[in-house]
Amino acid sequence: MTAEPRASTARFPVTAAYAGTARIDELRATEYRHLDRDGGVYLDYTGAGVAARAQIIAHHDRLLAGLYSNPHSENLTSEAAGGLVESARRAVLDFFRADPGEYAVVFTPNASGACRLVGEAYGFGRGRRLVLTWDNHNSVNGIREYARAARSPVRYVPPAGPDLRVAEADVLAALAARAGRPWSRRSGPVGLFAYPAQSNFTGVQHPLDWVDLAHQHGYDVLLDAAAFAPTNQLDLTVVRPDFVCLSWYKLFGYPTGVGALLARRAALGRLRRPWFAGGTIRAVSVQGDWHQPMGDETGFEDGTLNFLSIPDVEFGLRWLDSIGVDLIHTRVGLLTGWLLERLTALRHRNGQPLVRLYGPSTGNARGGTVAFNFCYPDGTLVDERLVAYETSAAGFALRTGCFCNPGSAEAAFGINPGLLRGTNLAHVGTIDQHLAALGLPTGGAVRVSFGLASTAADAERFLAFIESTYLDRDGPADVRLAPRIRC
């Protein structure tokens, strides 16, 4: 039986710093008023940003004001489309302060598509290594399959400590652990180092200084900025990764289906694609059995680009600029810090903590992504599927599971590596049987995340809900939970 809920008295403190972000409250009441139309609370900004009314109107007005066609053609409508695509490329470079002589923009379907472009075309082989942090999205983890197919050594760097941060000493050890003669620039890169600027699981922000560190050890660097860029400045005159992967809907909600690979032109020139497609070649012969790739970024853009949506990227970037990424960063940091403080202070009447947090418990060097599980008074975990069911029924949009980041999940849940090597889905019938074989009490965590349009009321309402729903709760509700279908 559930104990009588206790009323929450927690209110977000409206400090001078928070008052300085009042522009976001004005936008919430105008451009983002659809977030409040049905009384729900959106807390999944790491999953997807939200679109402003102005973005949708701009898309609508542009399509009705002109005619645009395939940029590969040569007519006025194709030239109009191509001009908007090239304008969007310049806008991307401007937003990240990237020198167009040093960086190129390749439009992709999403950040995953950008990672795949690098993985399939990178010069892996016995002499080139792949080093990754445990804390990586599966779209980055998947690059290891290309590396292993080419017989490249693959090494993972684990996190250390309760904050689930990766120690720089461990990164250094992994980068330095290579056989053969010392690296020199004349010998070319020794491999690829791939890591996220910000974890999509814990919110940990890994040091951007690692880019230079890896370069000093002879590595190309792939920086996953999908979770970082929506609320943080990434200045490519200061930090110069070889590859940056992005999804635009993460930054400003719309358009979906468009991402980008920002690549240093020198690094892009070293990639060798395993195939070609329409739009990527200068010339090709069937009878002669040869082809000549395009020598610029268009050689990596397969087929016809999404020319009706790519111009929306430029509008979205201008929109973010008009608000100010630093302003968004401040607002998100204040909300995250307050929620962390409140979550870690919550206790059942018997003194046991309500929340088991995964990642940093303060706002230091972290983003607006917070992962945790709720605990019953006896310390057992509340099934994340039950939380998904109950929060959804109450109007909260959040995420549960492992968030496509198995390395962070394995570290958070303390899974024995020996069990993982001896247990795989080929030997069990369902994901739930797999979890049972690993001895896990639940199949994932709960993740809430703040973003561009978040307000103090969002955080307050979520806190009030969890206090009234999970504090002093003796056991699960009588709800039949659906089986898990993926990790």
Side-chain angles (χ1 to χ4, degrees):
M1 178 177 290
T2 303
E4 189 68 23
R6 298 182 295 192
S8 173
T9 58
R11 292 292 180 268
F12 185 90
V14 181
T15 61
Y18 186 83
T21 65
R23 168 77 173 136
I24 291 175
D25 297 309
E26 296 169 5
L27 290 169
R28 176 67 172 261
T30 54
E31 292 291 337
Y32 298 98
R33 61 179 182 267
H34 50 287
L35 294 182
D36 300 309
R37 184 170 299 144
D38 298 321
V41 178
Y42 188 77
L43 295 170
D44 192 21
Y45 286 86
T46 301
V50 294
R53 184 171 181 269
Q55 292 173 259
I56 308 305
I57 292 173
H59 176 84
H60 172 273
D61 290 351
R62 175 168 45 81
L63 293 188
L64 292 183
L67 181 62
Y68 306 96
S69 68
N70 193 324
H72 295 155
S73 300
E74 293 184 9
N75 57 60
L76 292 177
T77 59
S78 64
E79 288 174 6
L84 290 177
V85 168
E86 295 311 309
S87 180
R89 284 193 214 278
R90 292 190 294 271
V92 172
L93 293 171
D94 288 346
F95 184 81
F96 292 104
R97 300 175 187 173
D99 180 352
E102 182 179 8
Y103 277 93
V105 176
V106 178
F107 286 115
T108 65
N110 42 42
S112 299
C115 292
R116 180 179 177 178
L117 277 180
V118 176
E120 70 178 10
Y122 194 78
F124 289 119
R126 290 183 185 275
R128 292 245 172 99
R129 305 175 73 245
L130 174 62
V131 177
L132 313 100
T133 52
W134 278 29
D135 186 1
N136 260 314
H137 191 278
N138 273 337
S139 297
V140 179
N141 285 324
I143 295 174
R144 75 187 189 192
E145 301 307 306
Y146 292 111
R148 285 175 175 159
R151 300 190 176 181
S152 283
V154 177
R155 177 160 178 173
Y156 273 102
V157 188
D163 283 0
L164 299 180
R165 297 188 187 275
V166 177
E168 186 167 302
D170 293 337
V171 172
L172 272 170
L175 296 174
R178 62 177 187 270
R181 292 175 296 178
W183 172 75
S184 69
R185 294 188 185 278
R186 288 177 296 179
S187 61
V190 300
L192 181 67
F193 174 49
Y195 78 102
Q198 179 175 310
S199 173
N200 75 310
F201 192 113
T202 64
V204 164
Q205 291 182 342
H206 300 292
L208 296 178
D209 293 346
W210 289 354
V211 173
D212 282 342
L213 192 67
H215 283 161
Q216 291 166 17
H217 284 77
Y219 283 81
D220 290 323
V221 179
L222 182 148
L223 185 71
D224 177 6
F228 180 83
T231 60
N232 299 273
Q233 290 276 5
L234 179 60
D235 187 338
L236 295 182
T237 65
V238 177
V239 181
R240 290 185 168 90
D242 301 276
F243 307 104
V244 180
C245 302
L246 296 157
S247 285
W248 299 117
Y249 74 94
K250 300 273 190 181
L251 274 80
F252 35 76
Y254 184 83
T256 58
V258 182
L261 173 68
L262 277 70
R264 294 178 77 173
R265 293 187 182 275
L268 196 66
R270 292 196 298 270
L271 299 183
R272 295 293 178 265
R273 301 204 67 190
W275 82 308
F276 61 88
T280 67
I281 50 171
R282 193 182 310 277
V284 60
S285 172
V286 172
Q287 295 182 87
D289 194 25
W290 58 266
H291 72 280
Q292 184 183 53
M294 294 293 289
D296 59 10
E297 53 267 46
T298 61
F300 294 85
E301 294 173 338
D302 298 329
T304 301
L305 287 172
N306 189 344
F307 59 88
L308 293 182
S309 291
I310 286 174
D312 298 313
V313 172
E314 179 170 1
F315 187 93
L317 292 172
R318 304 297 184 215
W319 180 253
L320 278 189
D321 263 339
S322 72
I323 300 168
V325 175
D326 289 339
L327 185 76
I328 299 167
H329 175 86
T330 298
R331 165 65 66 98
V332 168
L334 291 169
L335 294 176
T336 305
W338 181 78
L339 182 65
L340 287 167
E341 180 183 331
R342 298 305 306 168
L343 287 177
T344 54
L346 290 173
R347 294 287 188 275
H348 295 290
R349 286 195 175 95
N350 65 0
Q352 294 299 309
L354 172 65
V355 170
R356 180 181 297 178
L357 182 69
Y358 306 116
S361 59
T362 70
N364 181 45
R366 62 124 64 237
T369 303
V370 182
F372 55 90
N373 281 114
F374 294 120
C375 302
Y376 292 114
D378 64 1
T380 59
L381 300 186
V382 180
D383 193 301
E384 88 285 353
R385 294 170 298 173
L386 179 60
V387 176
Y389 172 82
E390 293 180 334
T391 54
S392 181
F396 294 92
L398 46 77
R399 181 83 176 262
T400 58
C402 291
F403 324 127
C404 299
N405 189 328
S408 287
E410 290 165 17
F413 303 143
I415 301 175
N416 185 301
L419 284 175
L420 286 169
R421 295 189 187 101
T423 307
N424 60 66
L425 290 178
H427 298 98
V428 294
T430 67
I431 295 294
D432 291 319
Q433 290 172 351
H434 176 68
L435 296 172
L438 293 174
L440 294 180
T442 191
V446 179
R447 186 185 76 187
V448 301
S449 48
F450 298 111
L452 189 160
S454 294
T455 65
D458 295 336
E460 290 173 348
R461 285 182 60 188
F462 179 65
L463 186 70
F465 170 79
I466 64 177
E467 288 181 337
S468 64
T469 306
Y470 298 108
L471 267 178
D472 300 310
R473 182 168 174 166
D474 292 335
D478 186 17
V479 176
R480 185 174 181 179
L481 301 174
R484 300 175 177 91
I485 59 173
R486 61 173 60 92
C487 293

